[in-house]
Amino acid sequence: MFNLVLFGPPGSGKGTQSEKLIEKYGLIHLSTGDLLRKEMKAGTPLGNEAKSLIEKGQLVPDEVVVGMISSALDANPGARGFLFDGFPRTIAQAEALDNLLELKKTSIGAVLFLMVNEDELIKRLVGRAQTSGRLDDADPEIQRNRQNVYKNETLPVAGYYQNQDKVSRIEGEGTIDEIFERLCGVINAKMQTA
Ligand code: B4P
């Protein structure tokens, strides 16, 4: 099994690149953002709780997202590997993920960190707002809040994986295909030594 974490600030292209990576490597895509939006659309109690936080640019509680990931891992027993997109977003989530994977006798093979400067991120999210219908994209104040939450709560996760020597930093600006090629180069090298 080979498991990847795609890491980066909001708007860095995690969702965009995940679509291409799962196709190439046959991995199961686990995006907590997508899972939460599905719950919101279905109007479940979990979805309603998530909606009130996401609309403010805040994170959903750790136990909620960890529960979702745990169920998704159990639902895919024969997977070749998982691509975690937008998860973990806190140190507590990273620790919980390590424990869940250990129970399944596997671990994270690589953490790919998409590096994009803040002006470019805001530009992309403003662009996405025009088509996504996502309430967390529409308001510049919420976007600023999301970038702050990222710096305070999510960026330390990179340090957590750095201590395990698993982080590869990848230039996240350029065309979607250029970035995809950079990601594949790193993944291929990691897979050879795994
Ligand atoms: P997510 O759904 O994870 O989304 P994201 O971080 O906003 O975006 P992503 O990096 O995937 O960017 P994308 O490819 O779309 O999170 C949404 C919210 O859910 C969070 O704020 C949080 O509240 C909650 N949540 C999710 N996971 C959680 C967790 N684990 N714990 C707690 N809460 C959680 O790209 C952005 C735009 O850029 C797109 O329009 C795309 O077309 C464009 N783009 C992509 N690549 C480009 C390129 N190379 N050049 C130009 N534009 C590009």
Side-chain angles (χ1 to χ4, degrees), residues 3 14 16 26 28 38 47-48 50 58 63 66 69 78 82 84 91 135 141 149 161 164 175 189 191:
N3 305 300
K14 302 182 294 289
T16 305
I28 303 276
K38 224 179 263 173
N48 292 336
Q58 290 170 4
E63 56 275 20
V66 169
I69 290 290
F82 294 92
F84 298 96
I91 299 266
L135 291 161
E141 189 57 39
V149 167
Y161 285 118
Q164 299 182 7
T175 68
M191 278 180 157

Side-chain angles (χ1 to χ4, degrees), residues 32-78:
T32 38
D34 286 351
L35 291 170
L36 290 167
R37 280 186 287 278
K38 224 179 263 173
E39 297 281 344
M40 281 157 54
K41 203 167 165 207
T44 63
L46 190 158
N48 292 336
E49 184 194 351
K51 187 168 186 276
S52 63
L53 294 162
I54 289 175
E55 282 177 8
K56 291 188 211 123
Q58 290 170 4
L59 294 181
V60 173
D62 290 334
E63 56 275 20
V64 172
V65 283
V66 169
M68 288 190 326
I69 290 290
S70 175
S71 306
L73 291 176
D74 289 344
N76 291 283

